[in-house]
């Protein structure tokens, strides 16, 4: 796999030229510079249902003052609170949420990026509120300590994240005088305890930091609106010209993070999760200087290739690796790293030296054989149609990506960035290739097997590690002793599309139509009448009644799907590289295949996949590699975040015919290759195929695809499959909780090292019905920001705090989710009860104007058009898969909303949601981290009638009534 560039943080001097945009892009673009030197890109999209903005401030954690690690990140948090013009706390977030929008921000090494989207009719005021971040924010003393707690809670959440831990370890093992070495997130210690001990006032330093760095001269703004460019320009000039310009230049941090002392090292480290990973890293010339020549894209394409003759294919054949990723990371204008990461099997871990020997041998061969023009031309031929026929993105993420690009690229390439290699220059590629040398390398090797074998600890995340020097001579020895395998360049990619013509589709159906139905299959067809790009979307559900009849059957079905992907990979990787994505995954009662991308060669890939299914063969060596991989995946479930564990328990209580992961792991332990040999013919022996085909595909071609699937599975003299019996149609049913009953499920967190606890407070409301859906969604919209403000901002219970709508197989409800390192689940549950009383008061006092405003916002959200083929297809596929077929769902729910009276919403809340509602059905899943474990037994003892403790989840589920299936 090829990894794209990350954290591209640089400055470009050239800002001239027309903006290059995709051929299919109807939007208008204009670059302007305000009087205060703020650089702005205006985007006009007359078809959009959402407006958005993103401000990139060219300062990040690299600029943190000495002794105040995390200050830039802390400032990012603080700007959300209030401003001089809008002094009400959290009023920005409240306004955005109540008008159908979302907001976020992130702090990276050299950037802080703020972004939001909102319904179009509220954009002007939202933009004014947003601008106050950069004009006159209020960073109150009262808010300061609360938000330090929030930053600390965020850090507590990340403490057991392997990706965070190893990112910090790489930084720790670098020059102490380079900002790369810093701890960028911040926590209670760096933002309060240590500064206070030194007599430093964090709030004063925060204001100084803001005044010093937040200058219009180092900001880049993207404004994505519905109005024409002239009108949007007038609005932007009026609002944003008030940002102060101190004529500050973008900070530059020259020098390399790694000296020779930090190179030629082997670092062994202990992860949290099971698995072995090898990351080989070289400092290289940043490719941002040569983004059109794309040296790192070229090398990532070759080193990360997965076809026959590739390094990964060799390692996989030897049974040593299950994944390989290559590409440039941590890119700035001053430095960059090229990484090759290998996911090792247990055998691969034992052959680490051979793996490295093969990698360096492969790189040496590339260095000696030179740079090939045909490979660069092929890479360009892949990237060009991907850019020009790209799916339209949501304004939120689009604006954010471009604002970051504005700092890096000339104006002409703000939209395309580094995604379009166009200049072949072998010398530039060769220079970076030669930097991938044994004398320039850092090797990071992580495995649980290193427990007890390390002698050092990284200070911020307490990662145990050891360090040793590796000479060039040692690597040469590994290269010589590695197995003699034949590696070669990829063959030309037959999947690169060349036909981008649009089909002459006469159908004007706005919803999918049932194109074909037999005893073997059912086909839904939705031609592209909206997006007009040469792509298709195909989803095929193989409904196999035997797939989920027991933990053993489920695990065997899972291994079957993994092995299918495994044996397809060397061939189908070429399709994925050429913009034709595919995937196979386990589903409720069988497995699903999807294909999405350019339609030109899609049929070829579909036929190849069907052939692999028909001729499936269990290779014992691959079976045991996949078994090992899946075993580790199950074992790592216990390291999930406590709130994620809570959601798993919630689904286990509610969803009929689900098997505990512990039972699945136990079943897996005893399975052998012969079991799968016997199982697969039985699995496929009774099948019904549900198909959805959409996009640039003609009706007869869609029918032909399904006829081919039927021919492969059903129409042989000795068919692989036969139609399922009517009685074998499996349905997903949900436990109906008792009315006016409150259920509790107290569970010990599965990771003893995790101090965080979590609550999932679930309220079950109704089964899918338009009017009820609309009431639930409207209440959630009204209550969402109030929940966040009270439980996170005011009470500081935890960084993860949310109110969401749940949908378990068509049974709708609400979920309050809170994860905390400071309070136990019992306390948090009592705060949710108190919040519900506050929400009752809020709802009963809601004005007619506020009610109508929320209804209008939700209507706008529901009428938001699908932006691309994948988004549209996913919506329709859910209706097909769930058996509801309510393709007009949005229109019907909008009609119900427009008829809704305020009294009806209040009655709905009083009946189903408030604390003592007569039809309330609720359950609290309480997951106790190590810090609060002592509270678990007393909390369980408090559960008395009419409350019920769920001691045995499966036993409870089996004793309860079930909702009828929507498929019934």
């Amino acid at each position: 796999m090829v990894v794209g560039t990350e954290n591209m943080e640089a400055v470009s001097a050239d800002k001239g030229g027309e903006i290059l945009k995709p051929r299919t892009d109807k939007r208008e673009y204009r670059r302007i510079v305000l009087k205060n030197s703020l650089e702005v890109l205006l985007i006009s999209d007359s078809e959009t249902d959402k407006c958005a903005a993103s401000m990139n401030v060219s300062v990040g954690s690299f600029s943190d003052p000495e002794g105040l690690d995390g200050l830039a990140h802390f400032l990012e948090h603080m700007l959300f609170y209030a401003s001089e013009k809008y002094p009400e706390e959290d009023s920005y977030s409240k306004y955005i949420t109540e008008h159908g929008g979302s907001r976020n921000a992130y702090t990276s090494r050299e950037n802080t990026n703020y972004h939001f989207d909102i319904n179009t009719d509220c954009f002007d005021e939202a933009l004014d509120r947003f601008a106050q971040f950069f004009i006159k924010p209020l960073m109150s003393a009262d808010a300061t300590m609360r938000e330090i707690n929030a930053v600390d809670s965020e850090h507590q959440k990340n403490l057991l994240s392997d990706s965070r831990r190893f990112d910090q370890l790489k930084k720790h093992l670098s020059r102490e005088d380079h900002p790369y070495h810093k701890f960028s997130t911040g926590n209670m210690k760096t933002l309060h305890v240590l500064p206070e001990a030194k007599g430093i006032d964090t709030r004063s330093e925060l204001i100084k930091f803001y005044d010093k760095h937040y200058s219009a001269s180092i900001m880049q703004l993207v404004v994505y609106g519905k109005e024409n460019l002239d009108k949007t320009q007038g609005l932007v000039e009026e609002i944003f010209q008030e940002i102060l310009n101190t004529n500050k230049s973008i900070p530059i941090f020259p020098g390399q993070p790694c000296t020779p002392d930090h190179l030629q090292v082997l670092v062994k480290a202990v992860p949290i999760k099971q698995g072995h990973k090898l990351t080989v890293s070289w400092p290289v010339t940043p490719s941002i200087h040569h983004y059109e020549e794309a040296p790192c894209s070229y090398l990532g394409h070759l080193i990360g290739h997965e076809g026959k003759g590739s390094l990964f294919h060799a390692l996989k054949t030897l049974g040593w690796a299950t994944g390989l990723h290559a590409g440039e990371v941590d890119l700035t204008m001053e430095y960059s790293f090229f990484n090759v990461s290998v996911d090792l099997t247990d055998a691969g871990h034992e052959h680490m030296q051979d793996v490295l020997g093969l990698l360096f041998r492969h790189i040496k061969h590339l260095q000696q054989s030179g740079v090939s023009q045909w490979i660069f031309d092929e890479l360009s031929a892949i990237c060009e149609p991907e850019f020009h026929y790209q799916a339209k993105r949501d304004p939120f993420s689009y604006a954010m990506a471009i604002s970051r690009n504005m700092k890096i690229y000339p104006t002409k390439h703000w939209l395309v960035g580094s995604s379009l290699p166009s200049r072949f220059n072998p010398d530039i590629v060769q220079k970076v290739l030669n930097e991938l040398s044994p004398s320039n390398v850092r090797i990071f090797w992580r495995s649980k097997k290193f427990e007890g074998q390390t002698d050092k600890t990284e200070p911020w995340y307490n990662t145990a590690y050891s360090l040793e020097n590796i000479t060039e001579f040692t690597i040469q020895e590994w290269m010589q002793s590695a197995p003699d395998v034949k590696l070669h360049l990829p063959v030309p990619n037959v999947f690169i599309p060349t036909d981008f013509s649009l089909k002459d589709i006469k159908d004007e159906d706005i919803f999918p139509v049932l194109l074909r139905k037999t005893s073997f299959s059912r086909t839904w067809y939705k031609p592209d009448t909206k997006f007009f790009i040469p792509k298709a979307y195909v989803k095929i559900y193989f409904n196999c009644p035997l797939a989920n009849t027991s933990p053993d059957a489920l695990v065997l079905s899972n291994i079957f799907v993994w092995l299918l992907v495994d044996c397809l990979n060397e061939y189908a990787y070429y399709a994925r590289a050429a913009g034709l994505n595919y995937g196979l995954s386990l589903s409720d009662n069988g497995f699903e295949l999807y294909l999405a991308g350019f339609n030109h060669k899609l049929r070829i890939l579909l036929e190849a996949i069907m052939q692999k299914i028909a001729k499936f063969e269990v290779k014992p060596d691959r079976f045991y590699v996949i078994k090992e991989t899946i075993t580790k995946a199950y074992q790592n479930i216990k390291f999930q975040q406590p709130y994620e564990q809570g959601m798993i328990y919630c689904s286990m209580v509610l969803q009929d015919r689900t098997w505990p992961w512990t039972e699945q792991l136990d079943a897996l332990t005893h399975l052998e290759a012969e079991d799968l040999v016997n199982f697969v013919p039985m699995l496929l022996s009774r099948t019904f195929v549900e198909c959805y085909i959409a996009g640039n595909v003609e009706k007869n071609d869609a029918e032909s695809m399904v006829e081919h699937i039927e021919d492969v599975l059903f129409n042989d003299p000795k068919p692989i499959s036969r139609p399922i019996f009517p009685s074998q149609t499996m349905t997903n049913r949900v436990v109906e909780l008792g009315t006016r009953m409150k259920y509790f499920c107290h569970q010990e967190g599965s990771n003893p090292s995790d101090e965080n606890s979590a609550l999932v407070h679930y309220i079950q409301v109704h089964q899918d019905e338009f009017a009820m859906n609309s009431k639930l969604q409207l209440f959630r919209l009204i209550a969402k920001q109030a929940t966040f403000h009270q439980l996170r901002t005011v009470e500081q219970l935890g960084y993860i705090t949310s109110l969401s709508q749940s949908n378990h197989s068509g049974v709708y409800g609400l979920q309050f989710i809170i994860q905390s390192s400071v309070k136990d689940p019992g306390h948090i549950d009592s705060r949710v009860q108190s919040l519900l009383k506050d929400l009752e008061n809020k709802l009963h006092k809601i004005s007619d104007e506020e009610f109508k405003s929320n209804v209008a916002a939700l209507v706008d959200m529901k009428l938001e058009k699908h932006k691309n083929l994948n988004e549209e297809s996913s919506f329709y596929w859910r209706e097909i898969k769930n058996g509801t077929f309510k393709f007009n769902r949005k229109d019907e729910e909008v009609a119900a909303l427009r008829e809704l009276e305020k009294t009806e919403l209040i009655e709905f809340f009083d009946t189903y949601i408030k604390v003592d509602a007569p039809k309330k059905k609720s359950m609290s899943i309480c997951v106790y981290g190590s810090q609060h474990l002592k509270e678990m037994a007393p909390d369980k003892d408090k559960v008395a009638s009419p409350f019920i403790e769920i001691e045995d989840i499966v036993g409870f589920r089996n004793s309860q009534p079930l909702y009828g299936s929507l498929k019934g």
Side-chain angles (χ1 to χ4, degrees):
M1 179 184 287
V2 182
V3 180
T5 55
E6 298 174 6
N7 300 326
M8 294 192 294
E9 299 162 342
V11 186
S12 174
D14 174 16
K15 293 294 182 183
E18 290 296 314
I19 296 173
L20 177 66
K21 68 177 189 176
R23 297 185 194 111
T24 52
D25 190 350
K26 299 175 185 175
R27 292 166 292 204
E28 294 182 315
Y29 299 86
R30 179 186 294 169
R31 171 188 179 261
I32 62 171
V33 180
L34 304 189
K35 291 177 182 177
N36 58 358
S37 297
L38 176 64
E39 190 169 32
V40 186
L41 177 66
L42 308 173
I43 304 175
S44 173
D45 179 0
S46 61
E47 298 177 353
T48 191
D49 299 306
K50 280 275 199 295
C51 293
S54 174
M55 178 73 89
N56 192 76
V57 186
S58 300
V59 64
S61 60
F62 273 12
S63 298
D64 285 344
E66 193 66 36
L68 278 165
D69 284 7
L71 192 70
H73 178 221
F74 177 45
L75 175 59
E76 172 224 303
H77 277 239
M78 285 295 291
L79 293 190
F80 280 82
Y81 266 85
S83 65
E84 193 173 283
K85 185 171 182 179
Y86 300 100
E88 183 187 347
E89 194 174 90
D90 263 357
S91 60
Y92 164 76
S93 297
K94 181 175 185 288
Y95 186 84
I96 298 291
T97 302
E98 290 181 352
H99 294 92
S102 53
R103 76 283 179 273
N104 212 337
Y106 68 81
T107 305
S108 62
R109 294 181 174 103
E110 294 182 284
N111 292 307
T112 309
N113 195 292
Y114 304 84
H115 36 274
F116 77 92
D117 69 357
I118 198 163
N119 292 340
T120 56
D121 58 344
C122 308
F123 188 45
D124 291 10
E125 183 174 336
L127 203 59
D128 188 46
R129 289 173 176 272
F130 179 66
Q132 304 312 311
F133 281 38
F134 317 104
I135 298 171
K136 285 191 176 177
L138 292 180
M139 294 178 268
S140 71
D142 176 55
T144 299
M145 198 61 223
R146 280 187 279 143
E147 207 53 35
I148 288 175
N149 284 328
V151 170
D152 189 65
S153 177
E154 183 178 357
H155 176 62
Q156 294 295 325
K157 169 185 75 73
N158 297 331
L159 275 175
L160 300 179
S161 160
D162 278 330
S163 61
R164 294 270 185 172
R165 293 164 70 85
F166 287 100
D167 183 55
Q168 190 63 44
L169 178 59
K170 286 185 290 181
K171 295 196 290 184
H172 178 64
L173 299 173
S174 67
R175 278 173 48 195
E176 291 188 21
D177 62 344
H178 194 285
Y180 179 77
H181 184 82
K182 291 181 177 181
F183 168 56
S184 59
T185 309
N187 61 10
M188 181 64 71
K189 183 178 179 182
T190 66
L191 294 171
H192 178 64
V193 177
L194 294 179
E196 187 178 56
K198 295 175 184 176
I200 296 171
D201 180 66
T202 300
R203 179 171 174 265
S204 296
E205 293 299 319
L206 187 75
I207 294 168
K208 280 185 203 171
F209 186 91
Y210 180 89
D211 291 342
K212 178 181 178 181
H213 292 289
Y214 274 52
S215 168
S217 56
I218 65 165
M219 295 178 182
Q220 301 85 33
L221 173 66
V222 174
V223 177
Y224 190 115
K226 191 177 180 72
E227 303 290 350
N228 64 55
L229 291 174
D230 291 338
K231 188 167 183 181
T232 303
Q233 179 170 337
L235 179 68
V236 168
E237 288 173 341
E238 178 188 344
I239 293 174
F240 287 93
Q241 65 186 0
E242 292 183 53
I243 298 175
L244 188 66
N245 177 17
T246 63
N247 293 314
K248 181 176 175 60
S249 299
I250 293 175
I252 296 173
F253 303 93
Q256 294 295 311
C258 297
T259 68
D261 290 341
H262 304 112
L263 303 175
Q264 291 184 266
V265 293
L266 171 63
V267 181
K268 298 176 181 176
V270 181
I272 298 296
K273 292 185 175 182
Q274 294 289 342
H276 321 286
K277 195 176 191 79
L278 192 61
T279 300
V280 187
S281 183
W282 296 267
V284 296
T285 303
S287 68
I288 191 62
H289 295 290
H290 308 288
Y291 63 91
E292 291 178 287
E293 292 84 357
C296 288
S297 296
Y298 178 95
L299 297 177
H301 175 66
L302 291 184
I303 298 171
H305 208 279
E306 298 181 19
K308 191 170 282 189
S310 68
L311 173 63
F312 174 68
H313 185 263
L315 295 175
K316 183 178 135 180
T317 303
L318 290 163
W320 293 349
T322 57
L324 188 149
H325 311 262
E328 189 176 20
V329 299
D330 295 341
L331 170 62
T332 74
M333 192 62 110
E334 301 296 324
Y335 73 86
S336 176
F337 295 95
F338 189 92
N339 282 7
V340 177
S341 294
V342 186
D343 298 312
L344 300 171
T345 62
D346 289 348
H349 177 77
E350 298 303 320
H351 286 87
M352 181 278 283
Q353 296 177 2
D354 291 325
V355 172
L356 285 173
L358 287 173
L359 169 61
F360 278 99
R361 192 192 294 168
H362 182 47
I363 290 170
K364 185 177 181 182
H365 173 70
L366 293 175
Q367 290 167 340
Q368 292 173 342
S369 59
V371 180
S372 301
Q373 174 139 16
W374 78 265
I375 291 175
F376 182 88
D377 290 345
E378 187 176 90
L379 194 60
S380 185
I382 289 170
C383 293
E384 187 179 9
E386 279 287 4
F387 173 68
H388 284 295
Y389 299 105
Q390 62 183 274
K392 192 173 183 180
R393 294 167 65 180
D394 62 275
F396 182 80
S397 62
Y398 192 59
M400 179 174 62
I402 297 173
S403 68
R404 188 176 57 189
N405 279 357
M406 287 170 67
K407 179 182 174 183
I408 306 166
Y409 301 100
T411 306
K412 179 180 180 181
H413 293 143
W414 280 354
L415 307 187
V416 68
S418 298
S419 66
L420 208 56
S422 56
R423 293 181 182 172
F424 178 64
N425 188 323
D427 292 341
I428 287 173
V429 179
Q430 190 72 42
K431 180 179 186 295
V432 178
L433 180 53
N434 290 340
E435 289 171 338
L436 309 186
S437 71
S439 62
N440 195 38
V441 74
R442 286 151 56 94
I443 301 167
F444 296 87
W445 185 14
R446 56 175 119 154
S447 171
K448 296 284 266 190
K449 291 193 174 183
F450 296 139
E451 284 182 326
Q453 301 175 27
T454 59
D455 58 355
K456 294 179 174 62
T457 304
E458 188 280 317
W460 296 109
Y461 290 83
N462 294 320
T463 303
Y465 74 98
S466 64
L467 179 71
E468 58 189 88
N469 293 316
I470 298 292
T471 65
E472 289 186 66
F473 177 74
T474 300
I475 292 175
Q476 296 288 347
E477 285 187 324
W478 293 348
M479 291 166 66
Q480 291 166 10
S481 63
D484 184 20
V485 296
K486 301 299 180 188
L487 303 180
H488 58 74
L489 294 177
V491 298
N493 192 336
V494 298
F495 282 101
I496 296 176
T498 54
D499 180 1
F500 303 105
S501 61
L502 297 179
K503 307 296 182 184
D504 184 20
I505 293 168
K506 302 291 193 292
D507 307 81
E508 292 295 328
D509 298 298
I510 60 171
F511 298 128
V513 295
L514 183 58
L515 182 63
R516 184 175 183 276
K517 184 177 181 182
T518 69
S519 61
F520 308 123
S521 70
R522 180 166 55 185
T523 305
W524 299 89
Y525 173 63
K526 174 66 178 73
D528 179 11
T529 56
K530 189 185 300 182
F531 308 111
F532 306 111
I533 56 173
K535 293 185 178 182
Y537 183 102
V538 176
K539 198 87 175 203
I540 302 166
Y541 171 37
F542 299 87
N543 187 339
C544 306
L546 296 180
N548 191 21
T549 53
S550 68
D552 298 81
L554 181 62
V555 171
L556 284 165
S557 300
N558 199 12
I559 297 175
F560 165 64
V561 170
W562 275 64
L563 281 171
L564 267 179
V565 173
D566 185 69
C567 69
L568 273 165
N569 191 59
E570 67 185 54
Y571 172 77
Y573 179 81
Y574 284 92
R576 191 174 284 154
L580 179 53
N581 291 311
Y582 77 98
L584 282 151
S585 59
L586 203 60
S587 191
D588 300 329
N589 301 296
F591 62 100
E592 285 185 21
L593 165 67
Y594 90 91
L595 301 99
F598 291 106
N599 58 273
H600 183 200
K601 311 275 179 85
L602 185 145
R603 176 68 182 262
I604 298 170
L605 180 59
L606 174 62
E607 290 183 5
I609 293 171
M610 288 308 304
Q611 190 66 19
K612 286 290 185 185
I613 293 173
K615 305 291 185 186
F616 180 75
E617 178 187 349
V618 179
K619 296 178 180 176
D621 60 330
R622 298 310 302 161
F623 172 88
Y624 290 108
V625 167
I626 297 302
K627 177 181 175 180
E628 178 192 310
T629 304
I630 296 176
T631 298
K632 288 172 184 169
Y634 278 121
Q635 290 169 339
N636 285 332
I637 291 175
K638 73 177 185 179
F639 298 113
Q640 288 186 325
Q641 295 262 7
Y643 83 91
E644 294 172 319
Q645 296 173 36
M647 293 172 74
I648 289 174
Y649 286 124
C650 189
S651 291
M652 279 292 302
V653 171
L654 296 172
Q655 293 278 175
D656 192 34
R657 293 193 321 109
T658 51
W659 315 107
W661 69 266
T662 49
E663 292 183 6
Q664 295 176 53
L665 177 58
D666 184 57
L668 178 60
T669 306
H670 301 98
L671 293 175
E672 304 295 338
E674 192 62 29
D675 296 311
L676 189 64
V677 171
N678 296 328
F679 176 76
V680 171
M682 291 293 293
L683 173 72
L684 297 175
S685 65
R686 295 284 175 184
T687 306
F688 183 78
V689 184
E690 187 94 63
C691 304
Y692 174 83
I693 300 174
N696 193 38
V697 182
E698 292 177 326
K699 191 178 291 186
N700 60 327
D701 290 332
E703 289 185 275
S704 175
M705 282 187 211
V706 182
E707 285 169 359
H708 176 76
I709 294 169
E710 286 189 359
D711 286 342
V712 170
L713 292 179
F714 300 101
N715 292 338
D716 196 78
K718 291 185 177 178
I720 297 165
S721 305
R722 299 180 189 279
I724 63 174
F725 294 114
S727 61
Q728 286 184 295
T729 302
M730 309 297 282
T731 57
N732 300 317
R733 300 182 65 188
V734 177
V735 167
E736 183 173 5
L737 299 177
T739 302
R740 301 205 74 169
M741 307 289 285
K742 171 72 185 287
Y743 300 91
F744 284 91
C745 181
H746 294 86
Q747 297 285 341
E748 182 177 345
S750 52
N751 180 7
S753 300
D754 199 334
E755 295 185 350
N756 292 285
S757 295
L759 171 78
V760 177
H761 181 88
Y762 170 74
I763 301 173
Q764 190 176 73
V765 181
H766 70 284
Q767 197 164 23
D768 188 19
E769 190 270 325
F770 293 140
M772 289 288 282
N773 296 351
S774 299
K775 292 172 188 175
L776 183 68
Q777 291 157 10
L778 183 60
F779 169 73
R780 186 237 174 193
L781 178 65
I782 292 169
K784 180 182 176 183
Q785 182 57 30
T787 297
F788 184 88
H789 175 72
Q790 181 61 34
L791 299 184
R792 180 181 150 174
T793 305
V794 177
E795 298 189 29
Q796 294 287 293
L797 293 179
Y799 179 77
I800 295 174
T801 301
S802 69
L803 169 60
S804 57
Q805 178 186 296
S806 64
N807 179 0
H808 293 90
S809 300
V811 175
Y812 287 67
L814 292 169
Q815 281 183 329
F816 293 86
I817 298 171
I818 301 100
Q819 181 167 296
S820 179
S821 59
V822 294
K823 295 294 182 182
D824 66 88
H827 174 86
I828 299 169
D829 195 51
S830 71
R831 299 316 302 150
V832 172
Q833 300 300 324
S834 177
L835 172 71
L836 284 169
K837 292 176 182 175
D838 293 343
L839 292 174
E840 179 182 357
N841 188 47
K842 174 183 172 72
L843 201 60
H844 279 261
K845 290 182 177 178
I846 194 169
S847 67
D848 291 343
E849 183 182 357
E850 189 179 354
F851 173 78
K852 288 175 182 175
S853 172
N854 279 282
V855 169
L858 186 56
V859 166
D860 286 347
M861 292 164 71
K862 287 191 164 297
L863 292 179
E864 189 176 338
K865 297 181 291 289
H866 296 125
K867 286 170 285 299
N868 54 62
L869 180 64
N870 283 15
E871 197 176 283
E872 178 189 78
S873 298
S874 296
F875 175 82
Y876 290 136
W877 177 248
R878 274 195 303 274
E879 294 293 332
I880 293 165
K881 182 82 181 301
N882 293 339
T884 46
F885 308 113
K886 295 175 180 176
F887 300 133
N888 65 338
R889 176 180 295 277
K890 290 185 176 185
D891 294 333
E892 292 288 348
E893 290 181 352
V894 164
L897 265 174
R898 286 175 169 157
E899 295 292 319
L900 185 64
E901 299 289 338
K902 183 174 76 171
T903 53
E904 293 177 278
L905 180 65
I906 293 170
E907 182 186 2
F908 167 80
F909 175 85
D910 289 348
T911 304
Y912 296 98
I913 296 172
K914 79 173 187 177
V915 172
D916 56 350
K919 293 187 178 180
K920 184 161 185 179
K921 297 177 274 193
S922 69
M923 172 173 63
S924 290
I925 307 287
C926 303
V927 178
Y928 290 77
S930 57
Q931 190 165 298
H932 306 123
L933 197 54
K934 63 182 182 299
E935 307 294 336
M936 182 169 149
D939 284 352
K940 284 181 76 170
D941 289 342
K942 294 174 189 172
V943 178
S945 182
F947 301 154
I948 295 175
E949 175 70 28
I950 301 173
E951 299 277 5
D952 172 8
I953 290 177
V954 176
F956 171 80
R957 189 177 70 202
N958 291 341
S959 69
Q960 298 302 301
L962 303 173
Y963 281 96
S965 169
L966 294 174
K967 287 187 176 181

